[in-house]
């Protein structure tokens, strides 16, 4: 059966139309279909300068970095330099957490699949030097785990910095150089990098901030994250390069010139379910593999990842059976709505699959028993309080504390019931941190019996 024809003029018009409608200053789109990567661009990189987005423009892609780091780790496993079920301390003796017993048990597999209990909100600035990952891992010894290792899923960026440091120790290179030599160069990814001084050679997107429904203004800084968090939070890429990286995974680990970058077994292992995710909506993740989020789009298997660099955003979605991948990079505005509309249309026409509906409360709201949910939930840097308002409705208060107290004032919202089953209760909080109408707030229980609340996929245990 022949692959659907990519109508570049049609999709350019849709990208232009939707980008303008949702006040996204600039966006870059790459679509892999029929074995070919098609690249489109729309809008401006910076509303202050008016420089236009082109297909080779580069954007900060945030947590998309995690799948690149995971791929490097799997290369080391292929080479026999690392074992997936080895404990971290057996490879990196200086690794530690405040829980000595937990420290001894955390494995490489757990870090890749976000089941090691490590947190994500630790933006420690370990400097710009080549020793930044070593210094970050040293500082992270004092950061409490979100949950005990192996008891459940909790999205953990700190674990990916640890993986980045393991890559450095085993390769003798910085994470940045290992990524360049072992992935970017073999795959011909000439518009992929990790450092600002490398990005300045290209047309670089500036992030934008502003109220929903309006044209946003350029952000006060291009990149707010320190170098040390890069293995979990920073690659600088063009949309086309991300699609070419995804194609390597679709092609069983082989580069366009026939070079084997990753074994077929490693490619398959990354796409194999490690754990179901209680929060299936924040990044459209039904389960997690080794690095990849795993998707079930109404019966069609997929994988991918998303990223946010505070003011710039990235999406990668892959449907293997259709040989289809789509990458969308944006620099502010209503980027989630742009993604929801555009990728839904692309997936339906070019992959023959129906993307799940955007997260929202049902038309008829269920009755939810709040009795056992009310209380205080705490993890490193965050206290979440669930309480009942005077009118009887549920509310959430999300507060940054300790070293994170200056990130934002406390956030409060009504909680609208979505569903309640034996293992999970789901609410919608009104108004997300960016442009969402609703964000999921999910209550679930760890395997050790501890109740948790999930906000942005981070597990926060109940303490009172």
């Amino acid at each position: 059966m022949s692959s659907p024809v990519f109508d570049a003029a049609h999709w350019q018009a849709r990208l232009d139309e939707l980008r303008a409608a949702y006040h996204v200053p600039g966006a870059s789109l790459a679509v892999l279909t029929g074995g070919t990567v098609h690249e489109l661009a729309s809008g401006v990189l910076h509303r202050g300068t008016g420089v236009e987005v082109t297909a080779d423009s580069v954007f900060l892609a945030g947590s998309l970095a995690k799948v690149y780091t995971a791929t490097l780790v799997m290369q080391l496993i292929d080479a026999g330099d690392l074992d997936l079920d080895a404990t971290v301390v057996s490879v990196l003796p200086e690794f530690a957490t405040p829980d000595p017993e937990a420290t001894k048990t955390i494995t490489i597999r757990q870090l890749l699949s976000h089941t090691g209990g490590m947190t994500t909100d630790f933006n420690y600035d370990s400097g710009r030097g080549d020793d930044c990952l070593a210094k970050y891992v040293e500082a992270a010894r004092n950061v409490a785990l979100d949950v005990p290792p192996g008891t459940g899923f909790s999205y953990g960026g700190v674990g990916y910095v640890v993986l980045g440091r393991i890559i450095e120790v085993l390769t003798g290179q910085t994470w940045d150089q290992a990524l360049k030599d072992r992935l970017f160069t073999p795959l011909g990814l000439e518009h992929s990098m990790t450092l600002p001084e490398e990005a300045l050679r290209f047309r670089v997107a500036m992030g934008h901030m502003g109220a929903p429904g309006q044209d946003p203004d350029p952000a006060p800084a291009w990149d707010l994250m320190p170098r040390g968090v890069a293995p979990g939070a920073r690659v600088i890429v063009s949309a086309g390069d991300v699609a070419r990286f995804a194609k390597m995974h679709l092609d069983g680990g082989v580069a366009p010139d026939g070079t084997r970058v990753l074994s077929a077994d490693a490619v398959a292992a990354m796409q194999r379910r490690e754990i179901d995710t209680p929060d299936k909506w924040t990044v459209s993740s039904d389960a997690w593999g080794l690095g990849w989020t795993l998707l079930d789009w109404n019966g069609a298997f997929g994988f991918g990842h998303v990223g946010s660099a505070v003011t710039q955003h990235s999406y990668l979605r892959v449907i293997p059976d259709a040989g289809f991948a789509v990458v969308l990079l944006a620099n502010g505005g209503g980027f989630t709505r742009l993604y929801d509309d555009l990728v839904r249309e692309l997936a339906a026409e070019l992959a023959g699959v129906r993307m799940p509906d955007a997260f929202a409360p049902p038309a008829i709201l269920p009755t939810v028993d709040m009795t056992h949910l009310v209380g205080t939930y705490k993890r490193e840097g965050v206290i979440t309080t669930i309480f009942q308002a005077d009118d009887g409705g549920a509310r959430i208060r999300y507060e940054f504390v300790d070293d994170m107290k200056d990130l934002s004032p406390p956030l409060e919202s009504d909680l609208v019931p979505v569903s309640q089953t034996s293992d999970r209760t789901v609410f919608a909080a009104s108004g997300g941190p960016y442009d969402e109408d609703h964000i999921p707030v999910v209550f679930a229980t760890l395997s050790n019996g501890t109740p948790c609340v999930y906000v942005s996929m981070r597990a926060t245990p109940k303490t009172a």
Side-chain angles (χ1 to χ4, degrees), residues 411-463:
L411 306 172
E412 269 198 32
S413 173
D414 290 330
L415 290 177
V416 179
V418 174
S419 64
Q420 187 168 46
T421 61
S422 59
D423 64 342
R424 182 172 58 199
T425 303
V426 183
F427 289 87
S430 55
Y434 302 113
D435 69 323
E436 303 97 332
D437 291 323
H438 301 94
I439 60 170
V441 177
V442 181
F443 296 85
T445 303
L446 300 175
S447 64
N448 66 358
T450 302
C452 284
V453 62
Y454 283 84
V455 178
S456 297
M457 302 185 297
R458 284 81 156 160
T460 307
K462 190 174 187 181
T463 56

Side-chain angles (χ1 to χ4, degrees), residues 27-30 37-42 45 51-60 189-193 198-205 236-242 244 329:
S28 184
L29 174 73
V37 174
H38 305 269
E39 300 174 69
L40 303 175
S42 180
L45 295 167
V51 175
E52 294 182 347
V53 184
T54 53
D56 59 357
S57 297
V58 297
F59 290 67
L60 285 164
L189 306 183
E190 297 179 354
H191 291 80
S192 297
M193 64 225 71
E198 297 171 320
L200 288 172
R201 295 177 295 150
F202 303 105
R203 298 167 75 98
V204 183
I236 308 162
V237 289
S238 69
D241 268 12
V242 179
R244 285 180 274 274
L329 308 178

Side-chain angles (χ1 to χ4, degrees), residues 77-166:
I77 290 168
D78 275 345
D81 295 329
L82 186 62
D83 186 273
L84 196 53
D85 292 307
T87 59
V88 174
V89 288
S90 69
V91 187
L92 201 65
E94 63 269 33
F95 169 75
T97 76
D99 183 340
E101 292 306 309
T103 299
K104 297 175 186 176
T105 69
I106 297 172
T107 66
I108 304 300
R109 184 189 299 273
Q110 289 176 333
L111 295 188
L112 286 168
S113 60
H114 301 283
T115 57
M118 302 200 78
T119 193
T120 203
D121 297 312
F122 182 59
N123 288 323
Y124 173 73
D125 190 346
S126 54
R128 282 274 301 153
D130 286 350
D131 59 353
C132 62
L133 297 194
K135 288 182 175 179
Y136 184 101
V137 171
E138 174 66 25
R141 295 166 63 95
N142 301 314
V143 178
L145 298 173
D146 285 350
V147 299
T151 60
F153 176 90
S154 189
Y155 189 72
V158 174
Y160 270 78
V161 180
V162 174
L163 290 170
R165 179 58 185 153
I166 288 172

Side-chain angles (χ1 to χ4, degrees), residues 386-407:
I386 307 298
F387 60 99
Q388 289 192 288
D390 294 339
D391 62 3
R395 286 186 65 79
I396 182 172
R397 177 183 172 89
Y398 191 89
E399 183 178 6
F400 292 107
V401 295
D402 302 328
D403 291 343
M404 294 176 59
K405 63 181 180 349
D406 297 327
L407 280 182

Side-chain angles (χ1 to χ4, degrees), residues 203-217:
R203 298 167 75 98
V204 183
M206 183 70 185
H208 293 71
M209 305 175 73
Q214 301 177 14
D215 289 332
D217 293 320

